[in-house]
Amino acid sequence: MHLCDKYANYFYQKIYNKVSLNSKISILKGLNIYDLSINDTGTYPTQYLISCISTLDELNVITPQIIANFVSLSHHKFGCHILDKYMYKCSLNFLISQIEPIICHNFSVLSKLAFGIKSIKTLLLIENENYYFQKIHYLIHNNLMDIFNEEFGNYLIQTMIETKGLEEYEYISKCIETNFVSLIVGKYSSNVLEKIVIKHKKVSIFFF
């Protein structure tokens, strides 16, 4: 397959939705997910093919490769987008049983990386107004001050606030109330407080 060719890759993108399920599965079986994901050209058609997956049969073809390379892909500037496309295709039960444990096991590393943070953010965005990923929330809760002050970790808190609002996270509110002085002067934590002001359009929340 020529997904890394700057011209031929468009052919596969065009035909994928026009062929039978068996042909789609054949195409997916021919993919080396990791090598394609980190290739400057190959990553884009691979992301597209994953975004076109519409059946469990298709998803099951690439799942073993995704799971086996999940951490490596999450560290890569292109690979993290492959994971993003894949996770949005997974069932909630699969995310809870298979993906969340991988992320939790590697949380301390992923939460400190520019690209690693994306897989955690994706789970938080997928759950939207619910709280399906309790283990993730537990880790965020227990490491909140560190996350506030991490260069990339602070975006996790921003994502949570932008998605649900500060009022949905009592533990974040209490952390801010207890540590307001140190947070407001922090290089990264201060960005989070600014986002809260923008989100709420008022500053009274900081007058405890």
Side-chain angles (χ1 to χ4, degrees):
M1 192 171 296
H2 305 287
L3 290 187
C4 290
D5 184 88
K6 64 180 180 179
Y7 301 120
N9 79 84
Y10 291 107
F11 173 78
Y12 290 98
Q13 293 185 58
K14 295 295 183 184
I15 69 167
Y16 189 82
N17 284 325
K18 298 180 180 296
V19 299
S20 67
L21 176 59
N22 285 339
S23 294
K24 290 178 179 179
I25 289 174
S26 179
I27 291 172
L28 294 172
K29 284 182 176 179
L31 303 182
N32 183 318
I33 296 293
Y34 181 78
D35 288 347
L36 289 169
S37 298
I38 64 174
N39 182 273
D40 288 3
T41 300
T43 187
Y44 299 108
T46 304
Q47 289 179 42
Y48 177 77
L49 294 185
I50 293 175
S51 72
C52 290
I53 286 176
S54 60
T55 69
L56 185 59
D57 288 337
E58 293 168 85
L59 196 64
N60 286 341
V61 172
I62 66 170
T63 289
Q65 289 193 63
I66 293 287
I67 296 298
N69 294 285
F70 192 95
V71 176
S72 297
L73 288 172
S74 67
H75 291 182
H76 194 274
K77 63 180 180 179
F78 298 139
C80 66
H81 294 291
I82 294 288
L83 295 180
D84 181 68
K85 297 288 190 298
Y86 172 79
M87 289 164 68
Y88 273 103
K89 293 295 179 177
C90 294
S91 69
L92 181 60
N93 286 338
F94 185 85
L95 290 173
I96 293 173
S97 65
Q98 301 296 320
I99 302 301
E100 186 182 24
I102 296 174
I103 291 177
C104 286
H105 184 71
N106 296 277
F107 184 85
S108 61
V109 175
L110 295 178
S111 63
K112 294 178 174 66
L113 298 173
F115 307 117
I117 203 73
K118 186 170 179 58
S119 59
I120 307 176
K121 289 173 63 178
T122 297
L123 279 189
L124 294 174
L125 290 170
I126 287 174
E127 72 173 7
N128 197 9
E129 296 179 357
N130 301 292
Y131 295 91
Y132 298 123
F133 306 112
Q134 294 294 323
K135 294 175 183 177
I136 294 291
H137 285 288
Y138 176 82
L139 288 171
I140 293 173
H141 188 177
N142 284 3
N143 297 277
L144 193 55
M145 279 299 290
D146 288 337
I147 295 172
F148 256 115
N149 289 293
E150 286 171 0
E151 181 177 3
F152 304 111
N154 78 89
Y155 290 109
L156 272 184
I157 306 174
Q158 294 188 41
T159 297
M160 294 165 70
I161 292 168
E162 289 171 354
T163 304
K164 297 179 184 173
L166 181 63
E167 62 276 4
E168 293 295 320
Y169 296 105
E170 183 179 356
Y171 68 88
I172 296 180
S173 296
K174 287 184 177 179
C175 179
I176 294 173
E177 181 177 352
T178 303
N179 302 280
F180 180 76
V181 174
S182 60
L183 290 173
I184 199 66
V185 299
K187 180 177 180 179
Y188 304 116
S189 57
S190 61
N191 291 335
V192 180
L193 300 189
E194 290 173 16
K195 269 293 172 60
I196 292 173
V197 172
I198 294 171
K199 171 72 176 180
H200 289 263
K201 294 182 172 58
K202 59 182 180 180
V203 296
S204 59
I205 56 173
F206 294 119
F207 292 87
F208 308 109

